Amino acid sequence: MRIALFGDIHANLEALEAVLADATELGVTEYVCLGDVVGYNADPAACLEIVRAMNCPTVKGNHDEEASGTHSLDTMNPVAAAALEWTRQQLSEEQRQWLMRLRMVRQVMDFTIVHSTLDQPANWNYVTNRFDAMANFSYQFTHICFHGHTHVPRVFVKTDKVQEVVADSIAIEPGAKYFINVGSVGQPRDGDWRACYAIYDFDAKVVTYRRVEYDIAKTQAKIIAAGLPPMLAERISEGR
Ligand code: ZN
């Protein structure tokens, strides 16, 4: 059985469609969403409806939370706040309710999913080094935990110590724990503009990253046409 783990879609419809087509082609039958379905880009409602119709396990991201609330966005960075303000107007009350009701943490088969970290999921901490990963491992009771949030694909492994492993494909060994960032579908920040997600081959116990090209010019034109901050169109082509 092959499971696609995808998240940080951020309202990028072209990237989401390309990822789902790639997964289908590779024989994926199960899907799991790591959150941040909306925010930044120009197709929040369309992306939300696709993910909702898939009826797959989905956890809440910080942008999902902000977009479904009505509180002030003054403390956020101005570009993200402008995009979220716009996103709120694009979503129906019912769509906002769906986002609001997403859970923070879920267990799926033999793994856990969370948008940021298991130690304080509602604090939206970023995992950028092995010390951040250690804090998560204290609360990780499954073999594997998949997450997102930094938009950078990255793997930390805990054996007798915690270390980062750099590889496009990771063999899951018994006796070790894995904290795997699946990267971002709609706004990668590792310098590669292509949509990123991961496939977990449940029987072979292998996790493989995928990078998928999509019609980025179309996505950028929609961002500009929507009146969103132009830097949001620039950054997706730089993978930043
Ligand atoms: Zn995100």
Side-chain angles (χ1 to χ4, degrees):
M1 184 199 313
R2 287 181 166 185
I3 307 154
L5 293 306
F6 67 105
D8 291 290
I9 300 149
H10 285 297
N12 186 332
L13 179 62
E14 290 71 34
L16 176 61
E17 286 175 339
V19 159
L20 297 180
D22 185 70
T24 304
E25 208 168 292
L26 291 169
V28 166
T29 55
E30 308 297 324
Y31 293 84
V32 173
C33 178
L34 281 309
D36 271 3
V37 177
V38 303
Y40 292 127
N41 299 310
D43 280 305
C47 291
L48 186 153
E49 289 305 335
I50 288 174
V51 175
R52 174 154 68 165
M54 290 167 76
N55 200 22
C56 61
T58 303
V59 284
K60 187 192 281 185
N62 51 317
H63 285 251
D64 303 325
E65 176 153 293
E66 300 288 355
S68 58
T70 52
H71 54 280
S72 160
L73 299 165
D74 289 351
T75 56
M76 290 194 91
N77 94 59
V79 171
L84 279 164
E85 205 64 74
W86 180 87
T87 300
R88 284 177 176 177
Q89 293 160 20
Q90 307 306 309
L91 299 175
S92 67
E93 178 56 30
E94 195 248 341
Q95 288 168 330
R96 284 197 295 271
Q97 287 292 327
W98 183 80
L99 287 175
M100 202 179 289
R101 280 197 291 263
L102 292 172
R103 278 194 265 163
M104 300 295 282
V105 179
R106 288 189 67 159
Q107 193 173 330
V108 185
M109 301 164 79
D110 66 348
F111 58 87
T112 310
I113 55 172
V114 63
H115 184 66
S116 58
T117 65
L118 291 173
D119 48 322
Q120 288 179 307
N123 276 11
W124 313 113
N125 297 326
Y126 291 93
V127 177
T128 57
N129 58 52
R130 64 194 187 90
F131 299 103
D132 301 332
M134 276 178 202
N136 172 82
F137 278 124
S138 307
Y139 293 84
Q140 182 178 326
F141 304 111
T142 51
H143 206 33
I144 311 171
C145 176
F146 292 103
H147 74 125
H149 194 42
T150 63
H151 300 202
V152 176
R154 189 165 221 168
V155 182
F156 289 96
V157 183
K158 181 177 188 289
T159 49
D160 53 339
K161 58 183 186 296
V162 172
Q163 55 190 332
E164 184 171 357
V165 173
V166 180
D168 293 336
S169 189
I170 308 106
I172 303 298
E173 308 285 355
K177 276 186 182 175
Y178 296 82
F179 188 41
I180 301 178
N181 192 312
V182 302
S184 169
V185 170
Q187 193 196 75
R189 294 180 191 159
D190 62 338
D192 184 339
W193 69 272
R194 297 172 300 167
C196 184
Y197 76 106
I199 294 177
Y200 176 28
D201 188 319
F202 189 76
D203 307 300
K205 294 288 173 225
V206 175
V207 176
T208 308
Y209 284 112
R210 296 283 304 162
R211 300 305 292 240
V212 188
E213 294 190 2
Y214 66 94
D215 188 350
I216 192 168
K218 189 172 174 185
T219 308
Q220 290 173 311
K222 286 185 189 175
I223 291 167
I224 301 300
L228 286 160
M231 75 87 77
L232 291 172
E234 289 157 28
R235 71 183 296 176
I236 56 171
S237 59
E238 291 159 10
R240 293 287 169 207

